[in-house]
Amino acid sequence: MTPTEACIALNMLPTMGPVRLRKLLEVFETPDRVLTACRDALRAVEGIGRDVVDQIANWETIVDLSGELQRISDFGATVITGESPLYPRQLREIHAPPIVLYVWGELTERDQHAIAVIGSRRTTHYGLESAKKLSYQLAYAGLTIISGLARGIDTAAHQGALAAKGRTVAVIGSGSLKLYPPENAALAEKIRGGSGAIVSEFSMEIEPDRQTFPMRNRIISGWSHGLLVVEAGVNSGALISVAQALEQGRNVYAVPGHINAPTAIGSNRLIQQGAKLVMDASDILGDLQILLPESKPAPESAVRALPLLSDDERRVYDAIRETETSIDDIATKAELPSGAVSSTLLRLELKKLVKQLPGKYFVKLG
């Protein structure tokens, strides 16, 4: 049995965690020697109770190691431990670093230089566009974007990094065969296909639940040099990641949101409490400059050049604010009749320059 296989087996034991394993390794030195240790020797280790001893002693009846190794091989994943040079250095420093990391895709040395981008699953158009823009800029500058593949801000963060042809890593709260949410399977495949990796500390068939996501979040914050919260409500799970990041000594950044938006209450409160306000990637890059492997200037924006517009189209387009704008506000600012504004907005939609939201609100498309 190799040390990595022994770590996989230990990781699959229900009561074994990284803290207990660290105590055991201080005594037995290698994971395979932990699995073969006698009961008396195991009981002598501080913090190792009877349940843990029983599971280690009977691990071959509890863990289907050969089956797990076959699942890993069939899926095309690899497994790394803390001994691997690709195991994130920052992650080794946290209180409870994962015993193993299942990697679907490829990790590189560049992924040691990472920033986490997280936020709400239920978000606004402003939040999604902010996450895409900032992730694009940060990835373009050379940082790997770490997020959780969840709906909302996480998805936008991964998409922004991919659009910049940069690197992104999705840390999931389930086994690799139980990818969640299922609608992000195509996004996961795109990440795995050459721009990053899907990473999990859980064995292949573990289902996501209330415990796995907080465990996942500590990896996201622990891997990164800083944590950027784009949009988070007052009870958002992103705030749990912020608490973990602060415990781990990481920088915390936040994008300001509309003061009346429920999805921004938590992130705005973070700024009140001392998180650095971020309006552009340069607000983060200035802090992390010494960490970048090869710093490239972030583009001034990811917005494409506008096509030739008529006078009415330009007036209507310019009347749309950076956030959602009602058709009445657009008509007032553009100083055009409502009928002319409606027809002009339709032309701008056909040119893919604006998008209509529910309630006759409009936003610009970057």
Side-chain angles (χ1 to χ4, degrees):
M1 180 187 300
T2 67
T4 297
E5 291 171 347
C7 283
I8 292 171
L10 288 164
N11 190 61
M12 294 177 72
L13 294 176
T15 60
M16 178 61 67
V19 175
R20 286 195 175 109
L21 180 58
R22 185 167 60 214
K23 290 180 177 180
L24 288 164
L25 290 177
E26 287 173 356
V27 175
F28 299 106
E29 297 182 347
T30 63
D32 50 305
R33 290 177 62 184
V34 172
L35 289 175
T36 57
C38 67
R39 288 177 177 271
D40 288 343
L42 291 169
R43 277 194 292 265
V45 179
E46 181 183 358
I48 304 302
R50 179 178 299 174
D51 289 348
V52 180
V53 171
D54 287 345
Q55 287 190 10
I56 295 173
N58 298 303
W59 75 268
E60 290 178 280
T61 63
I62 299 171
V63 170
D64 179 14
L65 180 58
S66 61
E68 181 72 357
L69 295 176
Q70 188 62 52
R71 286 187 287 272
I72 294 167
S73 176
D74 291 345
F75 190 70
T78 57
V79 178
I80 63 173
T81 71
E83 301 302 312
S84 169
L86 292 177
Y87 191 100
R89 291 187 288 271
Q90 291 275 107
L91 199 55
R92 290 194 184 105
E93 301 171 4
I94 70 173
H95 171 65
I99 297 172
V100 296
L101 292 175
Y102 287 70
V103 179
W104 189 44
E106 184 181 5
L107 297 180
T108 70
E109 175 62 25
R110 179 175 169 181
D111 299 327
Q112 304 286 350
H113 307 276
I115 186 82
V117 181
I118 63 169
S120 293
R121 289 172 171 81
R122 296 180 179 178
T123 185
T124 64
H125 179 82
Y126 163 79
L128 293 174
E129 291 303 308
S130 296
K132 287 180 184 177
K133 172 188 172 182
L134 291 166
S135 297
Y136 181 105
Q137 293 176 333
L138 292 165
Y140 185 89
L143 289 171
T144 293
I145 302 300
I146 309 289
S147 199
L149 201 70
R151 301 179 180 101
I153 296 299
D154 289 18
T155 295
H158 294 304
Q159 290 172 338
L162 291 171
K165 301 190 185 306
R167 302 245 341 139
T168 186
V169 172
V171 184
I172 60 174
S174 65
S176 299
L177 288 174
K178 303 294 181 179
L179 190 82
Y180 184 87
E183 65 264 28
N184 271 352
L187 176 59
E189 179 66 47
K190 193 170 184 180
I191 294 171
R192 180 208 65 92
S195 299
I198 311 301
V199 173
S200 175
E201 71 173 312
F202 303 107
S203 54
M204 295 294 292
E205 296 186 319
I206 292 294
E207 298 275 0
D209 61 30
R210 289 178 178 267
Q211 283 73 45
T212 60
F213 288 112
M215 293 175 69
R216 178 275 306 270
N217 292 348
R218 89 186 192 288
I219 299 176
I220 292 174
S221 58
W223 190 320
S224 310
H225 292 292
L227 184 77
L228 172 61
V229 181
V230 175
E231 205 167 45
V234 66
N235 294 316
S236 172
L239 301 182
I240 298 174
S241 297
V242 169
Q244 293 171 325
L246 292 172
E247 289 176 1
Q248 295 162 349
R250 306 297 187 250
N251 296 326
V252 176
Y253 306 92
V255 174
H258 195 294
I259 60 173
N260 294 324
T263 53
I265 293 174
S267 43
N268 285 345
R269 189 75 67 193
L270 288 175
I271 295 171
Q272 281 187 325
Q273 295 169 347
K276 184 172 180 178
L277 186 152
V278 171
M279 295 187 294
D280 186 84
S282 60
D283 296 322
I284 297 173
L285 295 174
D287 287 351
L288 304 181
Q289 196 68 31
I290 60 171
L291 302 172
L292 295 179
E294 284 186 26
S295 182
K296 297 185 289 185
E300 291 185 6
S301 73
V303 180
R304 52 193 167 89
L306 293 178
L308 185 65
L309 301 179
S310 69
D311 181 58
D312 282 1
E313 288 172 341
R314 170 60 68 179
R315 289 169 69 179
V316 169
Y317 183 83
D318 290 344
I320 302 174
R321 299 189 298 269
E322 294 302 316
T323 55
E324 297 92 336
T325 309
S326 72
I327 191 169
D328 292 337
D329 288 345
I330 295 170
T332 299
K333 188 173 180 181
E335 299 180 341
L336 290 170
S338 59
V341 170
S342 295
S343 60
T344 303
L345 284 167
L346 178 58
R347 291 199 301 273
L348 291 173
E349 281 192 88
L350 293 173
K351 292 181 178 181
K352 300 189 183 302
L353 294 177
V354 304
K355 177 181 179 182
Q356 183 175 346
L357 302 176
K360 289 286 186 179
Y361 281 81
F362 292 81
V363 292
K364 294 177 180 177
L365 295 175

